[in-house]
Amino acid sequence: MATKTIDSSNFQSDVLQSAKPVVVDFWAEWCGPCKMIAPSLEEIAAENQAIDVVKVNIDENPDLAAQFGVRSIPTLMLFKNGEQASVQVGAAPKSKLLAWINSNTAA
């Protein structure tokens, strides 16, 4: 599955009520580091059916960014069972992103 763009209207159902762990990418169109990690997140989403990867544009959804205390981007948040389980701030190579996801989704 590819990444999915979400907003305030479907954040509850697609993230907080998801049966799978969800990685939320808080990003913006003007953010260079956000664009750098986007291909890696697309690959991770396509390769890993056990998680969902979604994107929240902070310019279009400032309420969600404020609600979760996003101060710099890219900010990745991992949610499990409707709870925020971990946060990764800043760009990182795919291997580091995968290690972060795997370490926070292990049973």
Side-chain angles (χ1 to χ4, degrees):
M1 182 181 134
T3 60
K4 178 179 179 183
T5 300
I6 62 170
D7 57 31
S8 301
S9 68
N10 56 0
F11 191 89
Q12 179 82 25
S13 61
D14 289 1
V15 177
L16 301 180
Q17 295 173 349
S18 176
K20 297 194 273 189
V22 181
V23 174
V24 181
D25 174 21
F26 289 92
W27 72 287
E29 196 66 48
W30 47 263
C31 169
C34 298
K35 291 179 180 181
M36 282 176 33
I37 67 168
S40 295
L41 291 174
E42 289 289 341
E43 289 175 17
I44 290 168
E47 295 165 0
N48 192 338
Q49 303 306 309
I51 62 162
D52 286 335
V53 180
V54 300
K55 299 173 78 67
V56 174
N57 184 321
I58 64 162
D59 288 334
E60 296 171 1
N61 300 281
D63 53 330
L64 285 175
Q67 179 181 345
F68 292 100
V70 175
R71 297 209 186 308
S72 62
I73 54 174
T75 292
L76 302 176
M77 292 187 185
L78 187 111
F79 287 82
K80 290 193 318 190
N81 303 318
E83 300 288 325
Q84 182 181 314
S86 185
V87 178
Q88 162 82 34
V89 178
K94 181 181 175 185
S95 58
K96 185 172 180 191
L97 295 174
L98 271 173
W100 171 71
I101 291 167
N102 292 336
S103 69
N104 287 289
T105 56

